[in-house]
Amino acid sequence: MILAFFSLVILFYGLALLFASKTWKSLPELIESGELKSVAILIPFRNEFENLDALLKSLSALDYPKELLEIILINDHSDDNYKKVIQSFESNFPFKITVLNLPVNLEGKKMAISAGIKHSKAEIIVTSDADCIFPIDWVQKMQAPFEIQDIQLVSGSVVFKSNNIISKIFQMEFAPLIGVGAVSIHLGKPTMANGANLAFRKSTFEEIKPYTDNLTIPSGDDIFLLQKIKSHYPNGIFFQKEAVVKTNPPKNFKYFFAQRKRWAAKWRATANMNDSLPALSVWSFHLIYITSIIFSFISNEFLILVPILSFKILSEGIFIYLILKSQKQSFNSFVFAVLQLLYSIYVVIFGLLANFGSYSWKERKYNSNERSGN
């Protein structure tokens, strides 16, 4: 009876992933528009000296009318030599570029984005991070869905660059988050987006004022905006699968855990009960999954569980493969095997630890238990 329950849970999980895979493959493509819109790319940065050269080279190569595109870099109190890098590009940069400096009494990504939006006169705002690089048609693809008047926010795909086996692990672990976010948007139940590849109407941002009641939360600019737009425009969110931004993976496992703690903090701060259910369900599944394997060994029934475990592994492999393929990345079987051994344990343990202690972000320290309005 107990093993039958475990098997049904795992079966349901596998079927859900196959459904997600089918949905991912069928995501609509809106990559061309009639009249091109004015666009401002907002990139907050803090001590990004080592990334600014690659960032500006990538931005300068974008294919978009120069009279319709402006680049706004917002300096969040950097104390490195960022000016030297930016000045080396300014004289020959193909687009209008502006550098804003946050005043001493303001800090953080939300303040930086708000300052950039206030400065911009563009119709569409696109946000990203200083450690990203972009395909040359990125802006064209991100602004295209706004041809539909109901669309208020466009979320794009993000992939970690992979230079070695560790970064490949981070890339493959991250891919399902992008997939789940995309599927949830397509089904009209958006749960997540990524500020490294996000576009929205300036007028909508000014209308809903997404950050007014959550400025005490250091990050979450993307999730707060998504949730506010969802509440005002339930059918106004679109996932642009064809627009893929590459970003740096965490430097090591220490940075990886700090990043995940930051993400966990912002999700807890933004989510209501309904929005928390998907994350709670995933955590509960992995706890049940580990428990089922332990129980099957203790009861000498592991062989009975093998077919359903194989189905679960296959469905995960298909989902991850399809996402990486869309991002023009390769599927590494060895990395996938490593994740199969470790991922459920990581989810269960980290789901508990993420609620305690503190984390660092941009050389600033924050409490993991910060909540909206505190």
Side-chain angles (χ1 to χ4, degrees):
M1 180 65 72
I2 295 178
L3 202 60
F5 168 74
F6 289 149
S7 297
L8 284 174
V9 172
I10 298 171
L11 175 63
F12 179 81
Y13 175 82
L15 291 173
L17 283 178
L18 290 180
F19 173 77
S21 298
K22 181 179 179 181
T23 304
W24 175 270
K25 289 182 66 177
S26 65
L27 290 176
E29 298 179 8
L30 296 174
I31 57 177
E32 294 184 3
S33 60
E35 182 179 356
L36 297 177
K37 297 163 184 61
S38 59
V39 176
I41 299 175
L42 271 52
I43 301 185
F45 70 96
R46 173 176 166 80
N47 295 334
E48 296 281 0
F49 174 80
E50 62 184 19
N51 294 316
L52 285 176
D53 185 77
L55 170 74
L56 292 169
K57 285 180 180 177
S58 182
L59 290 171
S60 66
L62 291 172
D63 182 14
Y64 207 72
K66 66 178 183 179
E67 67 274 12
L68 294 178
L69 182 63
E70 60 177 331
I71 312 296
I72 302 177
L73 308 177
I74 308 100
N75 171 36
D76 184 8
H77 308 289
S78 299
D79 54 17
D80 59 7
N81 201 14
Y82 73 93
K83 291 182 180 179
K84 180 179 178 181
V85 181
I86 295 175
Q87 288 170 355
S88 69
F89 280 86
E90 283 180 320
S91 60
N92 296 313
F93 206 73
F95 306 107
K96 179 183 177 183
I97 184 169
T98 303
V99 180
L100 303 179
N101 295 295
L102 287 182
V104 293
N105 60 321
L106 299 178
E107 67 177 39
K109 194 172 181 181
K110 296 196 194 85
M111 291 296 188
I113 290 174
S114 298
I117 291 174
K118 186 176 181 180
H119 180 85
S120 171
K121 294 180 174 61
E123 179 183 355
I124 304 299
I125 302 296
V126 179
T127 66
S128 191
D129 296 331
D131 62 350
C132 292
I133 58 174
F134 319 100
I136 62 172
D137 57 356
W138 174 54
V139 177
Q140 158 64 25
K141 288 180 177 178
M142 288 300 286
Q143 66 87 44
F146 293 104
E147 186 78 6
I148 301 173
Q149 291 300 314
D150 290 341
I151 299 298
Q152 308 298 324
L153 181 144
V154 175
S155 175
S157 188
V158 180
V159 62
F160 282 148
K161 305 169 192 173
S162 60
N163 304 314
N164 52 50
I165 193 68
I166 299 300
S167 60
K168 191 68 179 177
I169 289 174
F170 293 151
Q171 182 189 81
M172 189 173 285
E173 187 273 344
F174 183 56
L177 294 180
I178 296 297
V180 170
V183 170
S184 69
I185 289 173
H186 183 67
L187 296 177
K189 303 290 184 181
T191 58
M192 65 185 79
N194 195 302
N197 195 5
L198 206 62
F200 49 90
R201 298 183 191 271
K202 179 186 178 184
S203 58
T204 301
F205 183 95
E206 293 173 333
E207 172 198 346
I208 65 176
K209 298 178 174 57
Y211 304 150
T212 54
D213 58 352
N214 53 70
L215 289 175
T216 58
I217 309 300
S219 63
D221 54 284
D222 42 19
I223 301 300
F224 282 111
L225 178 60
L226 179 76
Q227 296 292 349
K228 286 292 182 70
I229 288 182
K230 181 176 75 170
S231 65
H232 286 78
Y233 301 95
N235 300 313
I237 302 171
F238 182 83
F239 185 82
Q240 183 61 291
K241 185 171 70 170
E242 299 301 315
V244 183
V245 165
K246 290 185 178 181
T247 187
N248 287 337
K251 295 179 181 179
N252 51 45
F253 283 103
K254 178 182 177 182
Y255 280 85
F256 172 80
F257 286 117
Q259 182 187 67
R260 291 305 189 267
K261 289 190 77 169
R262 174 168 62 86
W263 290 357
K266 70 180 180 180
W267 285 331
R268 288 197 309 275
T270 59
N272 55 36
M273 180 57 70
N274 288 335
D275 293 326
S276 297
L277 284 177
L280 182 60
S281 297
V282 170
W283 185 86
S284 299
F285 166 77
H286 286 285
L287 178 62
I288 292 172
Y289 179 67
I290 294 172
T291 304
S292 69
I293 294 176
I294 294 174
F295 176 82
S296 68
F297 274 112
I298 293 175
S299 62
N300 292 319
E301 297 177 308
F302 180 73
L303 291 179
I304 299 176
L305 205 60
V306 167
I308 200 67
L309 295 180
S310 301
F311 174 69
K312 175 261 186 190
I313 293 170
L314 178 64
S315 63
E316 284 183 334
I318 292 172
F319 189 44
I320 294 173
Y321 169 80
L322 291 173
I323 297 165
L324 292 177
K325 182 181 179 182
S326 295
Q327 297 173 332
K328 295 180 172 56
Q329 304 298 308
S330 61
F331 180 91
N332 187 301
S333 299
F334 173 76
V335 170
F336 180 68
V338 171
L339 283 175
Q340 285 299 315
L341 292 173
L342 301 177
Y343 187 71
S344 292
I345 298 173
Y346 146 73
V347 169
V348 171
I349 294 176
F350 189 77
L352 297 173
L353 296 180
N355 292 282
F356 305 99
S358 60
Y359 62 91
S360 295
W361 185 42
K362 302 297 182 183
E363 296 84 39
R364 294 168 178 150
K365 197 168 185 178
Y366 301 100
N367 192 311
S368 292
N369 291 309
E370 288 176 300
R371 296 290 193 277
S372 178
N374 288 352

